[in-house]
Amino acid sequence: MTAKKPTFAHLSEVQRALNQSAVARECAKPAPLFFGQRDAVHLYPIMRSDTLRNTSTNWRAQPEVLSKARAFMVERLRADSIGDSKVWAAMALLPRHVFLDDAFYLRAYHDDALPIGYGQTISHPSTVARMIALLRSQGELTRVLEIGTGCGYQAALLTLCATHVFSIERIEPLYRLALDNITRVQRFLPRPPQLSFGDGTLGLPNHAPFDGIIIAAAGLSVPQALLQQLRIGGVLVAPVQMGLQKQQVLIKITRLKNDEWQREIIDDAKFVPLLDGTQSESHTGI
Ligand code: SAH
């Protein structure tokens, strides 16, 4: 009499362990890459805000960690700074580290102004959020002009808050850097900003009028050409240097009529200077 063959073969220990880990993998949900509307603290209770201080890890190879850091930054800014829901959603989406040099990318999600070369800086995220929110106080934005593209971060954010964005930079290598950076983040943008190399104090008369104008550098006054390129009801936001002292204030100007502008002082400010003319490749150095 032959022994009855078992219907099922017994699982080996190894096979059992493999099956268990496959089930565990199946149950673990992948981290979402965008969670602007959700609370990062609840999603990632074990992540500490200073994770990126561990400089022995190449965090660029772990975009989900940078994405969490960005969500934390937006959460902190939302609690402490001025902005609005559209600006916060744009900031949660757009990677800021892509706009920074390798030397600084670990600080991309701190509320810091950081060097971008040629003596210029990327503005604090809190400053950028406040300026865009001030611009949006006049209503939805169709056409926006930025003076001082720098590395292109604010111009890219603006495309998530306005239909057509134009931006001018006076330092040629920075204009090229911004073009490059915009290409690297284009999948996040509905349409790229239109960048140009030139003296922004002249504005872009061929594309005027604008619903909003942001000046990202401080002059002794707001250039008349820019005031003229604002549509009636439009808003201009700019840092202005007070007299010959270094003190600056952020101002909001609303065009009330063809020949009437209303000016409000918003807060103290700290920006690089607004300069006339342009600076080309051959005259610059970091
Ligand atoms: N928008 C940037 C901030 C850049 S810093 C951000 O996203 O963080 C300000 C920039 O203004 C510098 O790059 C500087 O070169 C530029 N700038 C100063 N005067 C200018 C002018 N007249 N026209 C255009 N750009 C100007």
Side-chain angles (χ1 to χ4, degrees):
M1 200 176 159
T2 50
K4 221 176 160 194
K5 249 181 155 181
T7 324
F8 300 103
H10 287 296
L11 290 178
S12 71
E13 279 304 305
V14 174
Q15 189 59 51
R16 220 191 311 276
L18 281 173
N19 289 355
Q20 269 170 9
S21 65
V23 170
R25 266 202 310 279
E26 193 71 8
C27 295
K29 294 253 182 315
L33 284 183
F34 173 55
F35 33 83
Q37 301 308 315
R38 298 183 51 195
D39 195 342
V41 166
H42 299 308
L43 281 168
Y44 300 103
I46 55 166
M47 186 186 168
R48 291 156 50 90
S49 59
D50 62 359
T51 295
L52 297 184
R53 287 177 201 225
N54 168 1
T55 51
S56 55
T57 303
N58 175 15
W59 296 108
R60 284 192 197 272
Q62 299 186 42
E64 72 285 359
V65 172
L66 293 167
S67 182
K68 288 176 212 170
R70 185 158 67 251
F72 269 110
M73 177 187 81
V74 172
E75 210 162 82
R76 277 196 303 270
L77 291 176
R78 219 190 220 135
D80 302 338
S81 334
I82 296 163
D84 64 38
S85 54
K86 200 154 192 170
V87 175
W88 301 135
M91 266 193 178
L93 180 66
L94 186 70
R96 186 170 181 254
H97 65 273
V98 172
F99 292 82
L100 291 169
D101 188 87
D102 279 354
F104 299 107
Y105 88 96
L106 291 171
R107 287 165 64 190
Y109 299 111
H110 292 227
D111 190 18
D112 279 344
L114 296 164
I116 53 173
Y118 308 93
Q120 309 304 317
T121 51
I122 183 173
S123 303
H124 288 81
S126 55
T127 305
V128 171
R130 172 183 272 203
M131 292 211 289
I132 300 179
L134 283 168
L135 222 56
R136 280 174 39 77
S137 63
Q138 54 87 54
E140 287 301 315
L141 298 163
T142 304
R143 298 171 83 75
V144 169
L145 173 64
E146 178 195 39
I147 311 304
T149 318
C151 61
Y153 176 67
Q154 181 167 264
L157 266 187
L158 280 167
T159 66
L160 294 159
C161 305
T163 321
H164 300 286
V165 177
F166 302 84
S167 183
I168 314 176
E169 173 54 54
R170 66 175 292 279
I171 301 181
E172 194 178 9
L174 283 181
Y175 155 73
R176 297 201 182 287
L177 173 74
L179 279 177
D180 202 40
N181 288 339
I182 295 293
T183 310
R184 291 159 71 197
V185 297
Q186 68 188 5
R187 72 197 160 99
F188 297 98
L189 312 181
R191 64 174 66 74
Q194 231 171 286
L195 306 187
S196 41
F197 165 55
D199 180 354
T201 60
L202 308 172
L204 290 176
N206 293 343
H207 295 283
F210 299 100
D211 304 309
I213 301 180
I214 285 191
I215 310 183
L220 286 170
S221 62
V222 174
Q224 193 59 33
L226 297 178
L227 293 174
Q228 293 295 347
Q229 290 173 31
L230 205 55
R231 81 160 164 75
I232 294 171
V235 167
L236 180 150
V237 180
V240 173
Q241 194 179 317
M242 307 293 279
L244 291 176
Q245 294 126 33
K246 289 276 174 227
Q247 204 201 336
Q248 296 176 10
V249 286
L250 188 67
I251 60 167
K252 172 183 167 186
I253 296 178
T254 309
R255 187 169 192 179
L256 301 177
K257 295 186 197 150
N258 204 27
D259 57 354
E260 194 179 334
W261 290 263
Q262 182 190 56
R263 183 183 141 124
E264 268 171 81
I265 295 186
I266 304 294
D267 207 346
D268 290 341
K270 195 159 184 263
F271 282 77
V272 295
L274 181 73
L275 302 172
D276 290 338
T278 57
Q279 197 174 321
S280 290
E281 212 83 58
S282 51
H283 301 110
T284 51
I286 290 191

